[in-house]
Amino acid sequence: VLVHKDIEKISEVVGDCPAVQDVRKLFSMCTELGIVDWLEFDASVIRGLSYYTGIVFEAFDRSGTLRAIAGGGRYDKLLESFGGDPTPAVGFGFGDAVIVELLKDKNLLPDFEKGEVEFCVYSMDEGGTAKAMKVANELREKGCSVDVVLEEKKMKWAFKHADRIGAKRVVIVGGDEGSRGEVRVK
């Protein structure tokens, strides 16, 4: 049964059961929406999680060179099993690694290394992350593109990081300027 790629062949083996009816209904709706050419029936697709209660699916790029980009399905009793109200649902998950490879193959992956970052905000004081985030928020409110160094790092590292991301300026929070409520901009 699992080798068949035709729902009618499956129906000959298992009959016109609710699962076959659901697949027919899905393909009928997709035909009406004009997207049926993007679907391929494959009875061998099996999702490994026991909470699925209906059709499951996997999504691939058109060339079929990569593994599944996403997978999911119907789960009518999942929320109820965690104490929620009975809620029919469909969901999916996808991995970033496959998406990145697909975007690279199609030359659509943005260059995150050299973005349009105007300011890299760095706190030179131990425990000064909150102050750095406040300065970053003030800059963002003025429409600036900002990156914040959240970890406690040495200043040399912060400048190398700013260079790596293409930041035009580094805002240093803390030190003598910080005690006066000022920042240093390099």
Side-chain angles (χ1 to χ4, degrees):
V1 171
L2 296 180
V3 298
H4 294 299
K5 302 281 186 184
D6 181 352
I7 191 62
E8 298 313 319
K9 298 261 189 210
I10 300 285
S11 181
E12 290 172 14
V13 176
V14 299
D16 196 33
C17 65
V20 169
Q21 292 171 11
D22 286 348
V23 172
R24 282 190 182 128
K25 184 177 179 182
L26 173 67
F27 273 77
S28 174
M29 286 189 295
C30 290
T31 299
E32 288 179 37
L33 292 168
I35 60 171
V36 76
D37 290 342
W38 289 87
L39 303 181
E40 178 182 310
F41 177 74
D42 184 348
S44 69
V45 172
I46 299 171
R47 303 294 300 162
L49 302 172
S50 62
Y51 52 74
Y52 290 112
T53 58
I55 295 173
V56 295
F57 59 87
E58 291 182 338
F60 293 87
D61 66 301
R62 287 292 256 194
S63 69
T65 58
L66 300 172
R67 61 188 174 95
I69 296 169
R74 177 83 182 216
Y75 44 91
D76 290 342
K77 299 181 186 329
L78 182 62
L79 297 176
E80 190 176 351
S81 72
F82 288 105
D85 292 331
T87 308
V90 173
F92 69 94
F94 66 93
D96 59 342
V98 179
I99 292 292
V100 167
E101 287 307 311
L102 181 62
L103 292 173
K104 279 182 188 175
D105 289 351
K106 302 206 177 287
N107 292 320
L108 295 172
L109 186 66
D111 183 3
F112 295 109
E113 294 296 317
K114 295 287 183 183
E116 295 295 320
V117 179
E118 294 174 79
F119 296 99
C120 177
V121 180
Y122 163 75
S123 173
M124 61 186 295
D125 294 340
E126 188 173 319
T129 303
K131 289 178 184 174
M133 290 176 67
K134 183 177 182 209
V135 169
N137 284 338
E138 290 172 7
L139 289 166
R140 288 181 181 128
E141 285 172 2
K142 293 181 172 73
C144 299
S145 174
V146 181
D147 183 84
V148 184
V149 177
L150 297 173
E151 305 93 355
E152 292 183 10
K153 297 282 190 178
K154 301 231 182 269
M155 191 178 299
K156 183 178 179 180
W157 185 94
F159 276 95
K160 283 184 179 180
H161 172 71
D163 187 52
R164 261 192 319 274
I165 64 171
K168 296 176 180 133
R169 294 184 177 89
V170 176
V171 178
I172 302 166
V173 179
D176 293 337
E177 289 87 355
S179 63
R180 296 190 302 268
E182 300 172 352
V183 297
R184 192 174 354 160
V185 180
K186 296 256 181 189

